[in-house]
Structure formats: C-alpha cells, structure tokens
Amino acid sequence: MSAADLAQSIGRELPYLRRYARALTGSQTAGDNYAAATLEAILSDRSLMSDDDTRIGLFRTFHAIWQSSGQPVASEDQSGREAAAQGHLRGLTANSREALLLRTIEELRYDQIAQIMQVDQDEAEELVQIALNEMGRAIRGRVMIIEDETIIAMDLKGIVQAMGHEVTGIARTHTAAIELAGDRRPDLILADIQLADGSSGIDAVNELLGSLGDLPVIFITAFPERLLTGDRPEPAFLISKPYSEEQVRSAVSQAMFFASTDGLGVA
C-alpha cells in the first residue's frame, strides 16, 4: 500500500479509534491524545501497519501504546471524581474493558479483537464476558433520556432499567429536557442529537451541563464521524444508530464508571 493510500485508509478509521479511546479513558482530551500518539508511532514505523486490515493495524498499535503506558485513566491533576473512577477501574480484570469496548462499541469480531490485543480468541471471548459480569453489577444511578422517537425512548428505558438503573424520565425536546433535569438531577444523560421540535440534543445537553455541572453524557447518532473530528469539544461516549442492546449496556456501564460517586450505589 502506498503512503497516500495508507493515509487515506487510516483517515477513514481514525474517528472510530477516537471513539474507542475516549470511551476507554472517559475523556475526549485523553482519548484524542492516545489517538495522536498512535499516529505518531505509525509515522515513525510504517511496519506497524503491515497488516492488510488497516483497522486491525491501527487499533493494535494503539493497544501497544496503551499497554506500555500503564493504561493511565486520570490526569496528573486528578479530581475527586477521577480518583473515584480510578478506584473502580482498578477493581476490574485486566484487559476486560478493552475487549468489551472493541466487541460492543466498535463491533469487531472475536478473532479481530484477539489480533488487536495479541491474545488467543478464546481469551478474547472470556474477557468480554468477564467485563459484562463485572461492570454490570458495579454501579447504580439515575439516568435521564433525551429522545424524541417514542419506540426508541421506551427501548432505551427498558435496557437501562434492566441494568438496575433508575430512569428519571424521558424528554422529547430541548425545553422538556431542561425542565426534567430541574426536577431531579441525573447521574448520566443519554441523548439523541436531533429532537422533535427541530432543536439540538447537543445544545440541550450543553445547557444542562452549564447548570448541573460535570455529568457523563452518551450521545446517540446515525452519523458518529461528525462528532469524532478531534477539532472541537466533542462527546467522550458515542453510540451509532441503529444501536444494539449490547452497545447501550456497554456504553452506560463505561460512562457510570466515570460518573460522580455522590448518590450512586455500588452493588
């Protein structure tokens, strides 16, 4: 593959590496920094991309850097919230979250996960199951849903409640979202991008974060690449439409790990 072809191929996959890295670190800044380090490594050594599958090579290079760095999650000026998240994460089986995200959010096959993580396929499958079990019983909280399509909203509500979380309510518009959050502060917001009245779910969330403070947010969109440019403030957690129940469960579990522990119950 020529240098130009490789650059073009990496460019197509880069938004999804950012999505994965952000979900893994719980931060746009940290995730994007890891993605940038991955690109720098590839520029220094083209042999890292010797695999015919660009996505496999890109994610495998990321994992080599992630492993060698000791998998830090928080920044040096670690806040109380970040420290609490670190404590929860240290209690998980090594490499299990990585395998879970690759499987659920990035929808990779087990054989591809095995190649990326340099493990046997059986181990990759076991790691995903371990992560589902460990994260599924870890934290309980209040989730607010911003979604204008009734069927999707009820489906999301059912998934979240089945995980043991409380749904504070469903808002279909920007105005309704502000009112709902004012009635009861959520621990996590699950939001669509386009709302019923033509308003933006992103605008509604930004206003909520301005009044409620820092909260984890999971955006749901049919065009995830538009929110994975790395050129501006963007979500740390993103689900593509159409989504699967497994994707929602994984994203909610990941986001809850980076939520404030105030008011959250540990199962």
Side-chain angles (χ1 to χ4, degrees):
M1 185 183 298
S2 69
D5 289 340
L6 177 61
Q8 187 176 35
S9 184
I10 289 175
R12 288 194 296 268
E13 299 295 342
L14 187 56
Y16 306 105
L17 181 68
R18 289 196 185 103
R19 174 172 63 182
Y20 171 68
R22 291 176 189 180
L24 194 57
T25 60
S27 161
Q28 177 189 351
T29 301
D32 288 359
N33 284 343
Y34 269 103
T38 301
L39 292 180
E40 290 174 6
I42 292 169
L43 286 173
S44 299
D45 184 1
R46 281 277 303 276
S47 68
L48 294 171
M49 298 297 292
S50 58
D51 200 298
D52 290 336
D53 189 318
T54 302
R55 174 172 287 192
I56 298 299
L58 187 63
F59 277 70
R60 186 174 57 215
T61 302
F62 169 92
H63 264 274
I65 295 171
W66 176 250
Q67 294 288 337
S68 66
S69 68
Q71 307 173 14
V73 175
S75 59
E76 292 181 1
D77 55 338
Q78 192 178 75
S79 68
R81 179 175 67 87
E82 290 169 330
Q86 278 281 60
H88 291 308
L89 290 167
R90 279 193 293 270
L92 296 176
T93 300
N95 295 320
S96 59
R97 276 194 329 124
E98 293 87 333
L100 178 64
L101 285 169
L102 289 170
R103 176 62 179 169
T104 57
I105 303 301
E106 300 309 321
E107 300 183 273
L108 294 174
R109 301 188 310 269
Y110 285 115
D111 63 304
Q112 294 174 315
I113 296 171
Q115 291 180 61
I116 289 168
M117 300 183 69
Q118 299 292 280
V119 298
D120 293 335
Q121 183 171 331
D122 288 346
E123 183 177 348
E125 294 181 20
E126 183 179 4
L127 285 169
V128 170
Q129 191 56 54
I130 288 172
L132 287 170
N133 293 338
E134 290 181 342
M135 299 196 74
R137 63 172 179 259
I139 296 177
R140 300 289 179 264
R142 299 181 297 271
V143 180
M144 172 182 170
I145 298 173
I146 306 175
E147 170 60 62
D148 64 332
E149 295 186 39
T150 302
I151 294 177
I152 293 178
M154 295 308 296
D155 183 48
L156 292 173
K157 180 180 179 180
I159 294 171
V160 170
Q161 289 179 328
M163 294 178 69
H165 303 297
E166 175 189 350
V167 175
T168 63
I170 297 171
R172 300 183 66 248
T173 65
H174 182 142
T175 301
I178 303 304
E179 293 176 353
L180 179 59
D183 292 337
R184 192 170 188 197
R185 187 183 192 276
D187 299 307
L188 168 69
I189 299 173
L190 195 56
D192 193 3
I193 300 295
Q194 298 295 331
L195 303 180
D197 58 354
S199 60
S200 165
I202 296 176
D203 291 343
V205 166
N206 285 337
E207 185 172 340
L208 288 171
L209 295 181
S211 61
L212 299 176
D214 192 19
L215 288 175
V217 180
I218 301 172
F219 281 108
I220 303 175
T221 175
F223 305 100
E225 65 279 359
R226 296 179 183 176
L227 294 173
L228 293 166
T229 67
D231 295 332
R232 58 185 182 273
E234 294 173 327
F237 302 100
L238 202 63
I239 300 176
S240 301
K241 281 186 174 181
Y243 60 81
S244 67
E245 177 178 345
E246 195 176 38
Q247 286 177 315
V248 176
R249 292 176 64 89
S250 176
V252 169
S253 294
Q254 299 287 334
M256 279 293 186
F257 263 86
F258 293 96
S260 167
T261 55
D262 294 339
L264 295 185
V266 179

